Amino acid sequence: MPETKIISNAKSPMVEIDFSSIKCPGSVLSICEHAFLGHINIRGSLDNSKFAAAAKKSLGIDLPREANTFVEHNAKTILWLGPNEWLLVCDADGTANLVETLKSNFEDIFSAVTDVSGGNTILEISGDRARALLLKGTPLDLHHSVFSKGQCAQTMVAKTGMTLWQVSEDPVYKLIVRRSFSDYLGHWILDAAREYHEE
Amino acid sequence: MLLIECPYCGVRDESEFTYSGEAHIVRPLEPSALSDKEWADYLFYRSNPKGLHREMWYHSAGCRRYFNAVRDTVTYKFKCVYKIGDSQPNLDELSSSAKHPADVEAK
Amino acid sequence: MKRIPNGGRIDRSKPVNFSFEGKSYQGFQGDTIASALLANDVKLIGRSWKYHRPRGVVGDGAEEPNALFQVEQGALTIPNVRGTQAPIYDAMVVNSTNAWPSVNFDVMSIFGAFSRFLPAGFYYKTFMWPAKFWMAYEHIIRQASGLGESPRESDPDHYEKTNAHCDVLVAGAGPSGLMAALSAGRAGARVIIADEQEELGGRLLSSSELIDSKPATKWLEETLEELASLKNVTLIPRGTVFGYHDANFLTIAERLTDHLALAQRSGPRERLWRVRAKQVVLATGAHERPIVFGNNDRPGVMLASAASTYTNRYGVLLGDSAVVFTNNDSAYQTALDLKASGMSAVTLVDARASNENLIEPLKAVGVEVINQCAVVNVIGKARVIAAEIQNLSDDGKSIFGAKQRIDCDIVATSGGWNPAIHLYSQSGGKALWNDDKACFENGISVQDQVSVGAANASFSLVDCLTEGAQAGRSAAIAAGFNTKNTRIPGVSCSAGTDLTPLWRTPTEDPPGRGAKAFVDQQNDVGVSDIYLAAREGFESIEHVKRYTALGFGTDQGKMGNISGMAILSEALGNSISDTGTTTFRPNYTPVTFGAIAGPEIGENLSDPVRKTAMHTWHQENGALFEDVGQWKRPWYFPKLNEDIHQAVDRECLAVRNSVGIMDASTLGKIEITGKDSGDFLNMIYTNAWKKLGINTARYGFMLGEDGMVMDDGVTIRLDENRYFMHTTTGGAASVMSWMELWLQTEWPELEVYLTSVTDHWATAAVAGPNSRKVVDSVIDGIDFDKDAFPFMASREGLLAGLPVRVNRISFSGELCYEVNIQANHGCFMWEQLIAAGAKYDITPYGTEAMHVLRAEKGYVIVGQDTDGSVTPIDLGMGWAISKTKDFLGKRSLERSDTARKDRKQFVGLLTDDPKVVLQEGSQIVNNASDQIPLPMLGHVTSSYYSACVGRSIALALVKNGHQRMGDTVYVTTPDKGFVSAKISTTVFLDPQGEKQNA
């Protein structure tokens, strides 16, 4: 998958990491960065029906109530982060408007909407070895009977945190890492993938 | 390496959590009305029991929620977890219901 | 070559050449170092560590105390490789670990002649006094004894780690482990089965028994095939389960390449598995124990089971004649195996009375059986020549009659079996003594775990298979699977397991005299040493262990420990169960540091390296970096030939005289949202927040409840219900969790949400008299007029069309604008500012210049000038404390000790010689000539040469310092001298703040 690391005046958090140096067929292991997306942190309580309604009005879909799950709607992914916290991932272009829409619909409702787009980047990891690669660093059980499509989790990977979700059973995983840790994680992944080269 | 059940996220590895000390230490409403000794009781003194202990944990690498747990300081085993604000479990009931095998000498 | 013509697990069509002690040998594919050496009739393989006695192979597995080798050389060298388990490969270089200059001529063996003078505790008694010489002695002792040598070069190999989860983890792939894996695997459970050996199979690999009327190895082959076909079963050969921790967390070290010739190796050398199992089945088998007798360490004395293994599994012809000495039934099979290997004479010496049923099959093949006798001594030095036997009394406590000599090449001995309860013990379980079986066995399971087969003191093959099948099924059911019984395969008549305890052959010699009889060969602990310890008053097995070194070393006493405990009980007149065992701790066998470290080594991976959005620019422009927490921050930007002082002086002067730019992205940033945010900040900070104007900033102190400064920073009010907090770089995460703690536990009624935005923003601090012109030229939509945008104000604008927030705050005391932009644009913003500042020679500066600039103004760095024992009042910043509201830590400021007037207080220090720069951390005293011990007044917290002030400056915490302005004090120097200095204000430059307000 082609990666865009630099656009006119922006650099992706993993600008120095070259995942194409992993010499594996894509069916074995494929990794790419999805930089420059919109990331919006949403806080509020679903016990407050006004908040739930305002969120649905803004997003066109209910915020996921069930722990460790995410929903996708209209090119937006909404991840459950905690009992009163979600992360919305969307196209960069619509981010500012969406923040404003949410804020205005939440007016007077106890809530918080924060643009955190600059602080995150997303990796997509797929292939037969995707699960094995992640297991080198995460204590989470990724067996399909435990963690499968539609699920997400915040956990550790190597010595940093990540938000992980599974988008297909193939498996295809996506994960969010904080910008300042992303170069570290990139190096960690390049190292972890070494044993799968030319497999 | 313990397994800890977060009341929000479910069972996770210990590496996702941070220990946060004894639970149910309530901050006095009017600190200025307290004597030095009373303030010190709140500030410094903890029960430090051998056996069941109510304590706070922080799911620092997960949902970032604090929660309470009852844990046996001898065996390290968690007896139960409960949300902040939930009523405290009765330690006597917990200790009598599940005696740890290590306490039993004979096979 | 000493080989049996056929049979065993070696591949006679694949010869393998290797060297030992510089001499070439040949073995076969499938050989271990030990089997290959024995097949070459090399019996002397090393020297003991204390007496340098010649030693040979004793065991066939992890219990081996002697056959430890130094394998390979240079960076690849591995010390203390167990030759009983390590396979040979082509061109392998093997050396003895403990002989100098060679095994056959060892200069240290002189110690052996003086063994009477080297008893237990000898080193402690002799070399511990005077204590300061121990270091020198220790060096020589270690060189003389040494157990292998560490590589001196860095490890060229790569190591992997992985986490794994399963329903059932089976440790050990002998008959019981395989049956457990099979029945759990057939049920559909996720199974991991690991075994430390080169091949899965455990005792089946050397067994001559039949299973389902087939040779055991045939059954093994079929079972492994079925297990491999089950997708839910993971087989890990060469995988030692070495640690058992809380909540069924177990660790496995898997060796991936050590069995391959160097040229054939690729990929990682080892993989560390961190396994979380719902259920654990311990099928770790048992270790045979020897009977202790005189000179029982002579090369050629080995365990009976090992003799069978070398014969049956490796096809080694161990000699022409053997004596088998036993107190139990299992060694009868060894006598049969040895006879069948082609030996001309095999004699079985049984300490017990005769039993026709046992003897019959032996007699049938010509093995002589002698009952109620014991081997008392071994003749021969570098190898066994003969055994001497004597009659044993009925109670086993004395010997009598004439010594009878039996010439032989090996003495195989069996004193019974010790279940390998190491992992059970690590799991928290308590080992119990079983008098009937004369062994320690597992007590109650304390985790979701069960021990089976020999590990459970069930030694017969049929019991192993049955217990394994049951345990596998139960574990699968406990993990949530439904399953039927697994059929137990039929077994030909299993060897008996009867035993009469005999730990050592009694002797007629007084203690400490006569032939040395070894309990722990690796540590050269003899029966006499244990008796000595008992005589000197040691009673606890834990103390005796430490006094004699029993059970230390790389084998951790797997062979000798239990015998040692039994002999101690005998010496003390206690029962074994009263004496008890020492605690087994991880690791079961030694684990390489490489496996433990895994890939997490080196500059990039040993610890996370956090980088800002401008990091590449800093790198490209020659920055040297400083670690601040996990962050890499530019330390200074040296120009050609500049040292740190020249660079920092230049950077400081540029900020004071024109303009500098610093990457401030690493400061923690937290958005605080909700209608109660002001009330919340009032509790978190010492000062008041509710009246702060929108787009205005304020400095705040955060205290712990103990009243001590925890963090500080500037917080900006963004709108009515939203604040933007800065924390220190190192304090970001802890401040966040501290605030969440109070919100979630104490004040859940407050409507406040916290969101970390540290990574979202990239921040450049543009500081200096020309900073206004620089930011004004690139940022639109902000009126930078000094009155329209005053100090401590915040504005939003656009930089090349991108939104920025500009805060007029200052940590340098200069006119300064901190520009924040969405971090993806951080580098772009930085380059724009650098370009705009070119005409003012804008100078990037690092943390060192930042430290100097703030010290010139007396600004505190939390964590450098404070250490968790400093209040804002101590810092002379009582003005930041609200008198009218409560806040966290307030009550503590009134505690008698905190409220003392003469606490250590924050002051400036000016050395009398302006060129002298004090050492940070130096102690401060009133008078250098006072009597020692001098009362300490405090210490220097920050110290620099200030180019702007034109002299050295320092900050310090000094007792009662605020009342001592102008006093002379003395500061220690690293060369044990003193420097005089005067206490001053902390502000060395621009006390009115005219520069930052300009």
Side-chain angles (χ1 to χ4, degrees), chain C residues 20 73 84 103 224 306 935 961 973:
Chain C
F20 172 62
Q73 288 159 320
T84 49
V103 247
L224 290 176
T973 61

Side-chain angles (χ1 to χ4, degrees), chain B residues 1-3 8 12-15 20 25-37 39-40 42-44 56 58 63-68 75-77 84-85 100-102 104-107, chain C residues 245-249 274 276 428 430 432 441-448 456 683 705-707 733 736-738 740-742 744-748 753 886-892 894-897:
Chain B
M1 188 75 84
L2 301 172
L3 269 184
Y8 303 100
R12 297 287 186 88
D13 195 85
E14 181 185 335
S15 57
S20 299
I25 306 292
V26 180
R27 186 171 199 268
L29 285 174
E30 257 195 282
S32 60
L34 302 184
S35 68
D36 272 11
K37 185 179 180 311
W39 181 248
Y42 155 71
L43 195 56
F44 298 124
M56 249 187 325
Y58 179 47
C63 64
R64 292 182 294 278
R65 298 299 96 192
Y66 285 85
F67 59 92
N68 291 325
T75 63
Y76 313 142
K77 288 197 177 171
I84 302 288
H100 192 273
V104 187
E105 284 297 315
K107 188 176 181 179
Chain C
H245 305 268
D246 291 311
N248 269 357
F249 181 77
R274 308 165 81 243
R276 189 73 77 166
K430 194 171 158 62
L432 300 173
E441 62 181 356
N442 53 294
I444 292 170
S445 302
V446 297
Q447 301 202 35
D448 290 327
N456 190 39
M683 285 304 293
E705 274 282 61
D706 59 1
M736 184 75 177
S737 54
W738 170 250
E740 285 285 4
L741 173 70
W742 291 101
Q744 291 181 32
T745 65
E746 200 70 35
W747 309 312
Y753 282 128
D886 189 21
F887 56 84
L888 295 176
K890 184 178 193 184
R891 174 64 184 80
S892 287
E894 292 150 29
R895 293 179 63 237
S896 56
D897 186 63

Side-chain angles (χ1 to χ4, degrees), chain C residues 701 703 706-709 866 868-877 881 892-893 898-899 903-904 906 957:
Chain C
F701 267 124
L703 309 186
D706 59 1
M708 302 304 154
V709 173
T866 72
S869 71
V870 181
T871 70
I873 299 160
D874 299 337
L875 292 172
M877 297 170 85
I881 294 174
S892 287
L893 297 177
T898 324
R903 288 171 58 83
K904 285 182 186 171
F906 192 53
L957 287 166

Side-chain angles (χ1 to χ4, degrees), chain C residues 50 72 142 213 297 338 356 550 802:
Chain C
K50 191 163 148 189
E72 300 304 337
R142 297 256 180 259
S213 314
D297 62 330
L338 292 174
E356 282 308 314
L550 171 73
L802 299 164

